Amino acid sequence: MVRDSEKQSIDRSVDTLISRANAYFGGLDRCLVFGSYTRGTILPRKADDHSDVDIMMVFDDDDDYRPQAYINRIKKFAEGRYRSSVVRQDRPSVVLDMQHIRIEMTPGKNYGVEGWYYIPRDASAWQLTKPNSFNSDLVKCNGSNGYKVKPVIRLMKHWNVSRNYRALPSFELESTLVDALMYKYLSCSSYTDYVLASFDAIRWKTSTSRVERAISKVNSAIAYEAAGFPYIALSEIKDVFPGA
């Protein structure tokens, strides 16, 4: 979990960037923060050096420009205002890589319906999205399950980075787990129950052998704990979630 000091540092950087963007751009309607940072499922930088904050820069104009034109403007802004940081285009977005966090900036345009925006499908075409619609599903799932889902999602993301070589895209992992765990309060009670249910949910979405190994290690830890060997049990868990 992101510690308070790290969160405060990220918040300051995000607030500063938004302030600079509003001062720099003409025709900027808003800067919308979305993604895992707003959901509380982002991993700390030490656990995942790909951890980022997603910001949509929503332009309020009627120009029929392709996404690349807005991407170029964002990239020019970042290069001018953050000369000591790494700035690059990554997919149809601009990445600002600072020492403590990576910020991914995506251009957007208003659609006219609350919560919906156009974002780049690629460098030349737009697509519709509702970026924060998933947040309410996660809040509902987490609350219904004794607030155990968010911590378990962070654990599973940690496993995906450290043991599954990022084979599952982060959002796909989160959405799969929310779908699978929504009503698990009927059969799960402990964090261990939720972890095992989570591995079962992704069993066929990624490397089956890695998932089976993780399940075997967790079950071994349960057995060692019951037999009175807590240190061996902890060792098994740390093998699944190293450094967590």
Coordinates of all heavy atoms in Angstrom, one line a residue, residues 35-102:
G35 N -8.1 6.0 -12.9 CA -7.2 4.9 -12.8 C -7.0 4.4 -11.4 O -7.7 4.7 -10.4
S36 N -6.0 3.5 -11.2 CA -5.8 2.8 -9.9 C -5.5 3.8 -8.8 O -5.8 3.5 -7.6 CB -4.7 1.8 -10.1 OG -3.4 2.4 -10.4
Y37 N -4.9 4.9 -9.1 CA -4.6 5.9 -8.0 C -5.9 6.4 -7.3 O -6.0 6.5 -6.1 CB -3.8 7.1 -8.5 CG -3.2 7.9 -7.4 CD1 -2.3 7.4 -6.5 CD2 -3.6 9.3 -7.3 CE1 -1.8 8.2 -5.5 CE2 -3.0 10.0 -6.3 CZ -2.1 9.5 -5.4 OH -1.6 10.2 -4.3
T38 N -6.9 6.7 -8.1 CA -8.2 7.1 -7.6 C -8.9 6.0 -6.9 O -9.8 6.2 -6.0 CB -9.1 7.7 -8.7 OG1 -9.4 6.7 -9.6 CG2 -8.4 8.9 -9.4
R39 N -8.6 4.8 -7.2 CA -9.3 3.6 -6.6 C -8.6 3.1 -5.4 O -9.1 2.2 -4.7 CB -9.4 2.5 -7.7 CG -10.2 2.8 -8.9 CD -10.5 1.5 -9.7 NE -9.4 0.9 -10.3 CZ -8.9 1.3 -11.5 NH1 -9.5 2.2 -12.2 NH2 -7.8 0.7 -12.0
G40 N -7.4 3.6 -5.1 CA -6.7 3.1 -3.9 C -6.1 1.7 -4.1 O -5.8 1.0 -3.2
T41 N -5.8 1.3 -5.4 CA -5.2 0.0 -5.7 C -3.8 0.2 -6.4 O -3.3 -0.8 -6.8 CB -6.1 -0.8 -6.6 OG1 -6.4 -0.1 -7.8 CG2 -7.4 -1.1 -5.9
I42 N -3.3 1.4 -6.4 CA -2.0 1.5 -6.9 C -0.9 0.9 -6.0 O -1.1 1.0 -4.8 CB -1.7 3.0 -7.2 CG1 -0.4 3.2 -8.0 CG2 -1.6 3.8 -5.9 CD1 -0.2 4.7 -8.4
L43 N 0.1 0.4 -6.6 CA 1.2 -0.2 -5.8 C 2.3 0.9 -5.6 O 2.4 1.8 -6.4 CB 1.9 -1.4 -6.5 CG 1.1 -2.6 -6.7 CD1 1.9 -3.7 -7.4 CD2 0.6 -3.2 -5.4
P44 N 3.0 0.8 -4.4 CA 4.1 1.8 -4.2 C 5.2 1.6 -5.3 O 5.3 0.5 -5.8 CB 4.6 1.5 -2.8 CG 4.1 0.1 -2.5 CD 2.8 -0.1 -3.3
R45 N 5.9 2.6 -5.5 CA 7.0 2.6 -6.5 C 8.0 1.5 -6.3 O 8.5 0.9 -7.2 CB 7.6 4.0 -6.5 CG 8.7 4.2 -7.6 CD 8.0 4.5 -8.9 NE 9.0 5.1 -9.8 CZ 8.7 5.7 -11.0 NH1 7.5 5.8 -11.3 NH2 9.7 6.1 -11.8
K46 N 8.3 1.2 -5.0 CA 9.3 0.2 -4.7 C 8.8 -1.2 -5.1 O 9.6 -2.1 -5.3 CB 9.6 0.2 -3.2 CG 8.5 -0.2 -2.3 CD 9.0 -0.3 -0.8 CE 7.9 -0.8 0.1 NZ 8.4 -0.9 1.5
A47 N 7.5 -1.4 -5.1 CA 6.9 -2.7 -5.5 C 6.7 -2.8 -7.0 O 6.7 -3.9 -7.6 CB 5.6 -2.9 -4.8
D48 N 6.5 -1.6 -7.7 CA 6.2 -1.6 -9.1 C 6.7 -0.3 -9.7 O 6.1 0.7 -9.5 CB 4.7 -1.8 -9.4 CG 4.3 -1.8 -10.8 OD1 5.3 -1.9 -11.7 OD2 3.1 -1.8 -11.2
D49 N 7.8 -0.4 -10.4 CA 8.4 0.8 -11.0 C 7.6 1.3 -12.2 O 7.9 2.3 -12.8 CB 9.8 0.7 -11.3 CG 10.1 -0.5 -12.3 OD1 9.1 -1.0 -12.9 OD2 11.3 -0.8 -12.6
H50 N 6.5 0.6 -12.5 CA 5.6 1.0 -13.6 C 4.4 1.7 -13.0 O 3.5 2.1 -13.8 CB 5.1 -0.2 -14.4 CG 6.2 -0.7 -15.3 ND1 6.0 -1.6 -16.3 CD2 7.5 -0.4 -15.4 CE1 7.1 -1.9 -16.9 NE2 8.1 -1.2 -16.4
S51 N 4.3 1.8 -11.7 CA 3.1 2.5 -11.1 C 3.0 3.9 -11.6 O 4.0 4.6 -11.7 CB 3.3 2.5 -9.6 OG 3.0 1.3 -9.0
D52 N 1.8 4.3 -12.0 CA 1.6 5.6 -12.6 C 0.2 6.2 -12.1 O -0.6 5.5 -11.6 CB 1.7 5.6 -14.1 CG 0.7 4.7 -14.8 OD1 -0.4 4.4 -14.2 OD2 0.9 4.3 -15.9
V53 N 0.1 7.5 -12.3 CA -1.1 8.2 -12.1 C -1.6 8.6 -13.5 O -0.9 9.2 -14.3 CB -0.9 9.4 -11.3 CG1 -2.2 10.3 -11.2 CG2 -0.4 9.0 -9.9
D54 N -2.9 8.3 -13.8 CA -3.5 8.6 -15.1 C -4.2 9.9 -15.0 O -5.0 10.1 -14.1 CB -4.4 7.5 -15.5 CG -3.7 6.2 -15.7 OD1 -2.9 6.1 -16.6 OD2 -4.0 5.2 -15.0
I55 N -3.9 10.8 -15.9 CA -4.6 12.1 -16.0 C -5.0 12.4 -17.4 O -4.3 12.3 -18.4 CB -3.6 13.3 -15.6 CG1 -3.2 13.1 -14.1 CG2 -4.3 14.6 -15.8 CD1 -2.2 14.2 -13.7
M56 N -6.3 12.6 -17.6 CA -6.9 13.0 -18.9 C -7.0 14.5 -19.0 O -7.6 15.2 -18.1 CB -8.3 12.4 -19.1 CG -8.9 12.7 -20.4 SD -10.6 12.3 -20.6 CE -10.6 10.6 -20.1
M57 N -6.3 15.0 -20.0 CA -6.4 16.5 -20.2 C -7.5 16.7 -21.2 O -7.4 16.4 -22.4 CB -5.1 17.0 -20.7 CG -4.0 16.9 -19.7 SD -2.5 17.8 -20.2 CE -1.5 17.6 -18.6
V58 N -8.6 17.2 -20.7 CA -9.8 17.4 -21.5 C -9.8 18.7 -22.2 O -10.0 19.8 -21.5 CB -11.1 17.2 -20.7 CG1 -12.3 17.2 -21.6 CG2 -11.0 15.9 -19.9
F59 N -9.8 18.8 -23.5 CA -9.7 20.0 -24.3 C -11.2 20.4 -24.7 O -11.9 19.5 -25.2 CB -8.9 19.9 -25.5 CG -7.4 19.8 -25.2 CD1 -6.8 18.5 -24.9 CD2 -6.6 20.9 -25.1 CE1 -5.5 18.4 -24.6 CE2 -5.2 20.8 -24.8 CZ -4.7 19.6 -24.6
D60 N -11.5 21.6 -24.4 CA -12.9 22.1 -24.7 C -12.8 23.0 -25.9 O -12.9 24.2 -25.8 CB -13.4 22.8 -23.5 CG -14.9 23.2 -23.6 OD1 -15.6 22.5 -24.5 OD2 -15.4 24.0 -22.9
D61 N -12.7 22.3 -27.1 CA -12.7 23.1 -28.3 C -13.5 22.3 -29.4 O -13.7 21.1 -29.2 CB -11.3 23.5 -28.8 CG -10.4 22.3 -29.0 OD1 -10.9 21.3 -29.6 OD2 -9.3 22.3 -28.5
D62 N -13.8 22.9 -30.5 CA -14.5 22.3 -31.6 C -13.6 21.9 -32.7 O -14.1 21.5 -33.8 CB -15.6 23.2 -32.1 CG -16.7 23.5 -31.0 OD1 -16.9 22.6 -30.2 OD2 -17.1 24.7 -31.0
D63 N -12.3 22.0 -32.5 CA -11.4 21.6 -33.6 C -11.4 20.1 -33.9 O -11.4 19.3 -32.9 CB -9.9 22.0 -33.2 CG -9.8 23.5 -33.1 OD1 -10.5 24.3 -33.8 OD2 -9.0 24.0 -32.2
D64 N -11.5 19.8 -35.1 CA -11.6 18.4 -35.5 C -10.2 17.8 -35.7 O -9.9 17.2 -36.8 CB -12.4 18.3 -36.8 CG -12.8 16.8 -37.1 OD1 -12.8 16.0 -36.1 OD2 -13.1 16.5 -38.2
Y65 N -9.3 18.0 -34.7 CA -8.0 17.5 -34.9 C -7.9 16.0 -34.5 O -8.7 15.5 -33.7 CB -7.0 18.3 -34.0 CG -6.8 19.7 -34.3 CD1 -6.8 20.7 -33.3 CD2 -6.7 20.1 -35.6 CE1 -6.6 22.0 -33.6 CE2 -6.6 21.5 -35.9 CZ -6.5 22.4 -34.9 OH -6.4 23.7 -35.2
R66 N -6.9 15.3 -35.1 CA -6.7 13.9 -34.7 C -6.0 13.9 -33.3 O -5.3 14.9 -33.0 CB -5.8 13.2 -35.8 CG -6.6 13.1 -37.1 CD -5.7 12.3 -38.1 NE -6.4 12.1 -39.3 CZ -5.9 11.5 -40.4 NH1 -4.7 11.0 -40.3 NH2 -6.6 11.3 -41.5
P67 N -6.0 12.8 -32.6 CA -5.4 12.7 -31.3 C -3.9 13.1 -31.3 O -3.5 13.7 -30.3 CB -5.6 11.2 -30.9 CG -6.8 10.8 -31.6 CD -6.8 11.6 -32.9
Q68 N -3.2 12.8 -32.4 CA -1.8 13.1 -32.3 C -1.5 14.6 -32.2 O -0.5 14.9 -31.6 CB -1.1 12.5 -33.6 CG 0.4 12.6 -33.6 CD 1.0 11.8 -32.5 OE1 0.7 10.6 -32.4 NE2 1.9 12.4 -31.7
A69 N -2.4 15.4 -32.7 CA -2.1 16.9 -32.6 C -2.2 17.3 -31.1 O -1.4 18.1 -30.6 CB -3.2 17.6 -33.4
Y70 N -3.1 16.7 -30.3 CA -3.2 17.0 -28.9 C -2.1 16.3 -28.1 O -1.5 16.9 -27.2 CB -4.5 16.5 -28.4 CG -5.7 17.3 -28.9 CD1 -6.4 16.8 -30.0 CD2 -6.1 18.5 -28.4 CE1 -7.5 17.5 -30.5 CE2 -7.1 19.3 -28.9 CZ -7.9 18.7 -29.9 OH -8.9 19.5 -30.4
I71 N -1.7 15.1 -28.5 CA -0.5 14.5 -27.9 C 0.7 15.3 -28.1 O 1.5 15.5 -27.1 CB -0.3 13.1 -28.5 CG1 -1.5 12.2 -28.2 CG2 1.0 12.4 -28.1 CD1 -1.6 10.9 -28.9
N72 N 0.9 15.9 -29.3 CA 2.1 16.7 -29.5 C 2.1 18.0 -28.6 O 3.1 18.4 -28.1 CB 2.1 17.2 -31.0 CG 2.4 16.0 -31.9 OD1 2.9 15.0 -31.5 ND2 2.1 16.2 -33.2
R73 N 0.9 18.5 -28.4 CA 0.8 19.7 -27.5 C 1.1 19.3 -26.0 O 1.8 20.1 -25.3 CB -0.6 20.3 -27.6 CG -0.9 20.9 -28.9 CD -2.4 21.3 -29.0 NE -2.7 22.4 -28.1 CZ -4.0 22.8 -27.9 NH1 -5.0 22.3 -28.6 NH2 -4.2 23.8 -27.0
I74 N 0.6 18.2 -25.6 CA 0.9 17.7 -24.2 C 2.4 17.5 -24.1 O 3.0 17.8 -23.0 CB 0.1 16.5 -23.9 CG1 -1.4 16.9 -23.8 CG2 0.5 15.9 -22.5 CD1 -2.4 15.7 -23.7
K75 N 3.0 16.8 -25.1 CA 4.4 16.5 -25.0 C 5.2 17.8 -24.9 O 6.2 17.9 -24.2 CB 4.8 15.6 -26.2 CG 6.2 15.1 -26.1 CD 6.4 14.0 -27.2 CE 7.8 13.3 -27.1 NZ 8.9 14.2 -27.6
K76 N 4.9 18.8 -25.7 CA 5.6 20.0 -25.7 C 5.5 20.7 -24.3 O 6.4 21.3 -23.8 CB 5.0 21.0 -26.8 CG 5.8 22.3 -26.9 CD 5.3 23.1 -28.1 CE 6.0 24.4 -28.2 NZ 5.5 25.2 -29.4
F77 N 4.3 20.7 -23.7 CA 4.1 21.2 -22.4 C 5.0 20.5 -21.4 O 5.7 21.2 -20.6 CB 2.6 21.1 -22.0 CG 2.4 21.0 -20.5 CD1 2.5 22.1 -19.7 CD2 2.0 19.7 -19.9 CE1 2.3 22.0 -18.3 CE2 1.8 19.7 -18.6 CZ 1.9 20.8 -17.8
A78 N 5.0 19.2 -21.4 CA 5.8 18.4 -20.4 C 7.3 18.7 -20.6 O 8.0 18.8 -19.6 CB 5.4 17.0 -20.5
E79 N 7.7 18.7 -21.8 CA 9.2 19.0 -22.1 C 9.6 20.4 -21.6 O 10.7 20.6 -21.1 CB 9.5 18.8 -23.6 CG 9.4 17.3 -24.0 CD 9.5 17.2 -25.5 OE1 9.2 18.2 -26.2 OE2 9.8 16.1 -26.0
G80 N 8.7 21.3 -21.7 CA 9.0 22.7 -21.3 C 8.9 22.9 -19.8 O 9.7 23.7 -19.3
R81 N 8.0 22.2 -19.2 CA 7.8 22.5 -17.7 C 8.5 21.5 -16.8 O 8.7 21.7 -15.7 CB 6.3 22.4 -17.4 CG 5.5 23.6 -18.0 CD 5.9 24.9 -17.5 NE 5.1 26.0 -18.0 CZ 5.3 26.7 -19.1 NH1 6.4 26.4 -19.8 NH2 4.5 27.6 -19.5
Y82 N 9.0 20.4 -17.4 CA 9.7 19.3 -16.6 C 11.0 18.9 -17.4 O 11.1 17.8 -17.8 CB 8.8 18.1 -16.4 CG 7.6 18.4 -15.6 CD1 6.4 18.9 -16.1 CD2 7.6 18.3 -14.2 CE1 5.3 19.2 -15.4 CE2 6.5 18.6 -13.4 CZ 5.4 19.0 -14.0 OH 4.3 19.3 -13.2
R83 N 11.9 19.9 -17.5 CA 13.1 19.7 -18.2 C 14.1 18.6 -17.6 O 14.9 18.1 -18.3 CB 13.8 21.0 -18.5 CG 13.0 22.0 -19.3 CD 13.7 23.3 -19.5 NE 12.9 24.2 -20.3 CZ 13.2 25.4 -20.6 NH1 14.4 25.9 -20.2 NH2 12.4 26.2 -21.3
S84 N 13.9 18.4 -16.3 CA 14.9 17.4 -15.7 C 14.3 16.0 -15.6 O 14.9 15.1 -15.1 CB 15.2 17.9 -14.3 OG 14.0 18.0 -13.5
S85 N 13.0 15.9 -16.1 CA 12.4 14.6 -16.1 C 12.3 14.0 -17.5 O 12.5 14.7 -18.5 CB 10.9 14.7 -15.5 OG 11.0 15.2 -14.2
V86 N 12.1 12.7 -17.6 CA 12.0 12.0 -18.8 C 10.6 12.1 -19.4 O 9.6 11.8 -18.7 CB 12.4 10.5 -18.7 CG1 12.2 9.7 -20.0 CG2 13.8 10.3 -18.2
V87 N 10.5 12.6 -20.6 CA 9.2 12.7 -21.2 C 9.2 11.9 -22.5 O 10.1 12.1 -23.3 CB 8.9 14.2 -21.6 CG1 7.5 14.3 -22.3 CG2 8.8 15.0 -20.3
R88 N 8.2 11.1 -22.7 CA 8.1 10.3 -24.0 C 6.7 10.0 -24.3 O 5.8 10.0 -23.5 CB 8.9 9.0 -23.8 CG 8.3 8.0 -22.9 CD 9.3 6.8 -22.7 NE 8.6 5.8 -21.9 CZ 8.6 5.8 -20.6 NH1 9.1 6.8 -19.9 NH2 8.0 4.8 -19.9
Q89 N 6.5 9.7 -25.6 CA 5.2 9.2 -26.0 C 5.1 7.7 -25.9 O 6.1 7.0 -26.2 CB 4.9 9.6 -27.5 CG 3.5 9.2 -27.9 CD 3.1 9.7 -29.3 OE1 3.6 10.7 -29.8 NE2 2.2 9.0 -30.0
D90 N 4.0 7.2 -25.3 CA 3.9 5.8 -25.1 C 2.4 5.5 -25.4 O 1.5 5.8 -24.7 CB 4.2 5.5 -23.6 CG 4.0 4.0 -23.3 OD1 4.1 3.2 -24.3 OD2 3.9 3.6 -22.2
R91 N 2.3 4.8 -26.5 CA 1.0 4.6 -27.1 C 0.4 5.9 -27.4 O 1.1 6.9 -27.7 CB 0.1 3.7 -26.1 CG 0.7 2.3 -25.8 CD -0.1 1.7 -24.7 NE 0.1 2.4 -23.4 CZ -0.7 2.2 -22.4 NH1 -1.8 1.4 -22.5 NH2 -0.5 2.9 -21.3
P92 N -0.9 6.1 -27.3 CA -1.5 7.5 -27.6 C -1.5 8.3 -26.4 O -2.6 8.9 -26.1 CB -2.9 7.2 -28.2 CG -3.3 5.9 -27.5 CD -2.0 5.1 -27.4
S93 N -0.5 8.3 -25.6 CA -0.4 9.1 -24.4 C 1.0 9.7 -24.2 O 1.9 9.3 -25.0 CB -0.7 8.3 -23.1 OG -2.0 7.7 -23.2
V94 N 1.2 10.6 -23.3 CA 2.5 11.1 -23.0 C 2.9 10.7 -21.5 O 2.1 10.9 -20.6 CB 2.5 12.6 -23.1 CG1 3.9 13.2 -22.7 CG2 2.2 13.0 -24.6
V95 N 4.1 10.2 -21.4 CA 4.5 9.7 -20.1 C 5.5 10.7 -19.5 O 6.5 11.1 -20.2 CB 5.1 8.3 -20.1 CG1 5.8 7.9 -18.8 CG2 4.1 7.3 -20.5
L96 N 5.3 11.2 -18.3 CA 6.2 12.0 -17.6 C 6.8 11.2 -16.4 O 6.1 10.8 -15.5 CB 5.5 13.2 -17.0 CG 6.3 14.2 -16.1 CD1 7.5 14.7 -16.7 CD2 5.4 15.3 -15.5
D97 N 8.1 10.8 -16.5 CA 8.7 9.9 -15.6 C 9.5 10.7 -14.6 O 10.6 11.1 -14.9 CB 9.5 8.9 -16.3 CG 9.7 7.6 -15.6 OD1 9.4 7.6 -14.4 OD2 10.0 6.6 -16.2
M98 N 9.0 10.9 -13.4 CA 9.7 11.6 -12.3 C 10.3 10.5 -11.4 O 10.0 9.3 -11.5 CB 8.8 12.5 -11.6 CG 8.4 13.7 -12.5 SD 7.4 14.9 -11.7 CE 5.8 14.1 -11.6
Q99 N 11.1 11.0 -10.4 CA 11.8 10.1 -9.6 C 10.9 9.3 -8.7 O 11.1 8.1 -8.5 CB 12.8 10.8 -8.7 CG 13.7 9.9 -7.8 CD 14.7 10.7 -7.0 OE1 14.7 11.9 -7.1 NE2 15.5 10.0 -6.2
H100 N 9.8 9.9 -8.2 CA 8.9 9.2 -7.3 C 7.6 8.7 -7.9 O 6.9 8.0 -7.2 CB 8.6 10.2 -6.1 CG 7.9 11.4 -6.6 ND1 8.5 12.4 -7.4 CD2 6.6 11.9 -6.3 CE1 7.6 13.3 -7.6 NE2 6.5 13.1 -7.0
I101 N 7.3 9.1 -9.1 CA 6.1 8.6 -9.7 C 6.1 8.9 -11.2 O 6.9 9.7 -11.7 CB 4.8 9.4 -9.1 CG1 3.5 8.7 -9.6 CG2 4.8 10.8 -9.5 CD1 3.4 7.2 -9.2
R102 N 5.4 8.1 -11.9 CA 5.2 8.3 -13.4 C 3.8 8.7 -13.6 O 2.8 8.2 -13.1 CB 5.5 6.9 -14.1 CG 5.5 7.0 -15.6 CD 6.0 5.8 -16.2 NE 5.0 4.7 -16.2 CZ 5.1 3.6 -17.0 NH1 6.1 3.4 -17.7 NH2 4.1 2.7 -16.9

